[in-house]
Amino acid sequence: MKKNDTAVVKIEDIGINGEGIGKADGYTLFIKDTVMGDLVEVKVMKAKKNYGYAKLLRVIEPSKNRVEAKCLVAKQCGGCQIQEMDYQEQLQFKQKKVIGNLERIGGFAPEVLEKITQPVCGMDEPFHYRNKAQFPVGTDKDGKAVTGFYAGRTHQIIPNTDCALGVSQNQQILEEILSIMNENHIPAYNEQDCSGLVRHILIRYGFTTKEIMVCFVINGDNLPCADKFVDKLSQIEGMRSITFSKNKENTNVIMGKEIEVLWGDGYITDYIGNVKYQISPLSFYQVNPVQTEKLYKYALEYAGLTGEETVWDLYCGIGTISLFLAQKAKQVYGVEIVPQAIEDAKQNAELNDMKNAEFFVGKAEEILPAYYENYAKEHPGQQAHADVIVVDPPRKGCEEALLETMVKMQPDRIVYVSCDSATLARDLKYLCGEGYALEKVQVVDQFPNTVHTECVTLLQRSRGKK
Ligand code: SAH
């Protein structure tokens, strides 16, 4: 096969980025926008020695798992990768992806995994689930300000104010903002030459409290016509906070370092279960509240708390899991690298009148080993112990220095929450080589219509065995 060749292909597999995989004359092709089971006509765009990338020209026979995308720009927009895949099929795809990594990278036997893997936990309504959206702002060919999301792997904005994953309120907010920008000639930011002003619009919505915040990210010191924006936006039901954040750097980082309040509070409040959280524009907060509650319930169940336990929650963010656990534990220690998040965590503990949660700023792989060593110095002949350790690292997983200390602290249970099953598998392999056994694997779909997966696993210490 070579560039510009066309072929008819049956899609037989799905790649890790959601693209369909099929063969033409034994040559493997990766084809975006196709679904397992489709018979399609494609055109080769890029041909390598053993495989190539092709573009979908036409679906000859749709798969029984193909559904119509809900969003009009689903194909162009890089936000969703698998909106045309039936939701039940999406769930099976994610379950298979996690199990596949645990087998290949983790070295776990398929028959063991079969016994411990729980049915995947999906959503009843896999749309409009995100409580947060950061819309880039740009300029269209007529010079009008537009917002939307980037096309896959580029920074080209696909205009859309009605994202099917976000809350319905986003549309009205964005349209009010765009119309004020266009009427008053307030320019959107231009990444090419770092000119213009409005870079992003951040919107957050508390699903339980129905509170809304809007934050403008601007390449300047002030937001012109701030009173006009405030006038319109403050009338929207639930609006609690209108702020801006200066970001004058030439960077892909969205938010600036600080927040200035234009109207209302600098934060909104929301609940996960019974725990109340204060969320500022800069706080990390799980984006899918419905599934987060389920995820945390599994984490809590796996932690097996009776009220007597000492628990560490590593990579704790604003202390969401920590406070969930603190309801049932004797003492919880949270560790997080972002100082502002720890400030929020402390405030959230106070807000909920929880006195048994303590937080540390720093790298988990430095804080925990240092704590362990100091403890030994201060308590000769003893060693620091934890009953349960929970980790929820970013995609790169845990550093070995951290895993090593975790093992030394001999927790009865380790609950590993992961958004990347490849690094999860690597870390579980290490822990299972050091006396732990994998007891449960639960995939929870936090990101329907995208290829991202999240799962929570339970490891149990098998005493004496090493
Ligand atoms: N458990 C939290 C956050 C999980 S996201 C929740 O459910 O809301 C992962 C968190 O790890 C982020 O807040 C990130 O800032 C933090 N982080 C990244 N690297 C870290 C490190 N080396 N040590 C501690 N925290 C880290």
Side-chain angles (χ1 to χ4, degrees):
M1 285 265 148
K2 57 184 190 314
K3 192 172 167 172
N4 292 331
D5 280 356
T6 58
V8 171
V9 181
K10 179 94 180 169
I11 304 301
E12 282 164 345
D13 203 356
I14 298 293
I16 52 171
N17 296 314
E19 70 285 28
I21 304 175
K23 283 198 160 87
D25 287 338
Y27 181 77
T28 301
L29 286 171
F30 292 88
I31 310 146
K32 192 178 155 308
D33 303 321
T34 60
V35 173
M36 181 123 89
D38 277 346
L39 184 68
V40 291
E41 188 184 359
V42 304
K43 180 170 165 184
V44 178
M45 304 305 287
K46 198 170 176 184
K48 301 222 176 189
K49 193 160 161 241
N50 298 317
Y51 63 93
Y53 298 93
K55 184 171 109 175
L56 174 65
L57 292 179
R58 130 183 115 93
V59 179
I60 299 168
E61 245 172 59
S63 157
K64 65 175 192 339
N65 298 319
R66 173 176 277 278
V67 295
E68 200 174 324
K70 191 166 182 136
C71 172
L72 293 175
V73 295
K75 274 204 178 70
Q76 299 96 301
C77 177
C80 290
Q81 300 85 30
I82 51 176
Q83 229 192 83
E84 293 180 300
M85 192 190 293
D86 172 72
Y87 187 56
Q88 293 312 315
E89 192 63 18
Q90 291 185 23
L91 293 175
Q92 292 318 314
F93 160 68
K94 293 184 185 191
Q95 180 93 330
K96 254 175 64 187
K97 181 163 146 184
V98 172
I99 294 174
N101 280 334
L102 290 174
E103 277 178 31
R104 266 196 325 277
I105 302 169
F108 295 97
E111 56 279 12
V112 172
L113 290 173
E114 199 173 323
K115 263 192 241 148
I116 62 176
T117 306
Q118 314 299 308
V120 47
C121 169
M123 291 191 86
D124 295 335
E125 174 49 40
F127 289 97
H128 302 294
Y129 61 78
R130 286 187 64 101
N131 57 13
K132 169 185 168 183
Q134 291 168 313
F135 293 91
V137 185
T139 310
D140 71 6
K141 58 180 186 342
D142 304 322
K144 288 254 175 292
V146 290
T147 70
F149 285 113
Y150 296 131
R153 283 188 284 266
T154 74
H155 271 196
Q156 183 206 342
I157 296 173
I158 305 296
N160 178 24
T161 54
D162 188 21
C163 169
L165 302 192
V167 293
S168 58
Q169 287 86 340
N170 289 344
Q171 187 172 23
Q172 187 192 354
I173 295 169
L174 292 175
E175 286 176 2
E176 300 276 19
I177 292 174
L178 290 175
S179 91
I180 295 173
M181 282 181 69
N182 287 326
E183 275 162 24
N184 296 279
H185 309 288
I186 298 170
Y189 181 63
N190 178 349
E191 270 185 340
Q192 250 73 53
D193 58 6
C194 305
S195 66
L197 187 72
V198 184
R199 299 173 71 127
H200 275 86
I201 307 294
L202 163 75
I203 304 172
R204 281 185 140 155
Y205 176 75
F207 272 59
T208 323
T209 56
K210 307 207 178 339
E211 295 182 4
I212 306 176
M213 76 158 63
V214 174
C215 180
F216 295 82
V217 184
I218 58 172
N219 174 44
D221 292 320
N222 280 301
L223 182 66
C225 305
D227 48 344
K228 289 190 180 154
F229 287 114
V230 165
D231 233 28
K232 281 281 184 214
L233 296 176
S234 61
Q235 287 173 36
I236 293 173
E237 202 185 322
M239 190 62 65
R240 279 284 175 285
S241 164
I242 305 172
T243 56
F244 71 91
S245 178
K246 285 188 248 177
N247 181 358
K248 297 199 236 173
E249 312 275 311
N250 178 9
T251 165
N252 282 339
V253 174
I254 295 176
M255 302 300 294
K257 295 205 166 53
E258 273 151 35
I259 297 298
E260 297 191 37
V261 178
L262 291 170
W263 179 86
D265 306 315
Y267 58 84
I268 57 169
T269 8
D270 197 22
Y271 287 84
I272 301 177
N274 296 322
V275 186
K276 191 173 179 181
Y277 299 93
Q278 233 171 49
I279 308 147
S280 91
L282 297 177
S283 313
F284 175 92
Y285 189 63
Q286 296 277 355
V287 297
N288 182 335
V290 171
Q291 292 300 91
T292 296
E293 185 164 352
K294 297 181 193 164
L295 182 76
Y296 289 181
K297 273 196 180 137
Y298 287 118
L300 187 63
E301 179 194 318
Y302 291 1
L305 302 176
T306 62
E308 291 305 311
E309 293 81 4
T310 299
V311 184
W312 284 80
D313 176 23
L314 307 172
Y315 310 89
C316 69
I318 60 167
T320 29
I321 296 182
S322 319
L323 298 185
F324 221 69
L325 297 167
Q327 300 175 95
K328 297 274 169 68
K330 183 166 155 205
Q331 177 67 38
V332 177
Y333 298 106
V335 182
E336 159 65 43
I337 197 168
V338 177
Q340 174 66 40
I342 288 293
E343 286 308 308
D344 288 351
K346 287 179 178 165
Q347 210 175 355
N348 287 329
E350 228 167 85
L351 195 67
N352 291 282
D353 203 20
M354 289 185 180
K355 300 201 165 46
N356 59 340
E358 196 179 324
F359 295 96
F360 303 96
V361 183
K363 293 184 177 171
E365 62 272 24
E366 288 172 5
I367 298 273
L368 199 69
Y371 175 88
Y372 182 81
E373 272 155 36
N374 276 341
Y375 191 94
K377 269 189 217 141
E378 285 167 15
H379 306 80
Q382 289 180 47
Q383 58 174 21
H385 170 74
D387 297 297
V388 179
I389 296 181
V390 179
V391 296
D392 183 6
R395 292 166 100 160
K396 69 177 180 164
C398 300
E399 300 269 323
E400 206 163 300
L402 173 64
L403 296 174
E404 220 174 86
T405 307
M406 283 165 59
V407 170
K408 282 190 202 155
M409 289 174 75
Q410 306 192 333
D412 297 325
R413 290 173 294 286
I414 296 173
V415 180
Y416 195 134
V417 183
S418 163
C419 56
D420 185 323
S421 56
T423 57
L424 168 74
R426 178 199 68 201
D427 292 349
L428 292 184
K429 184 177 184 181
Y430 177 95
L431 293 168
C432 290
E434 297 291 331
Y436 283 83
L438 185 57
E439 297 272 312
K440 273 193 177 139
V441 177
Q442 173 71 59
V443 177
V444 180
D445 190 19
Q446 296 277 85
F447 314 105
N449 296 302
T450 79
V451 290
H452 302 292
T453 59
E454 181 94 15
C455 72
V456 45
T457 61
L458 169 65
L459 292 140
Q460 192 99 32
R461 193 155 81 95
S462 23
R463 257 165 257 273
K465 206 169 81 191
K466 183 140 190 194

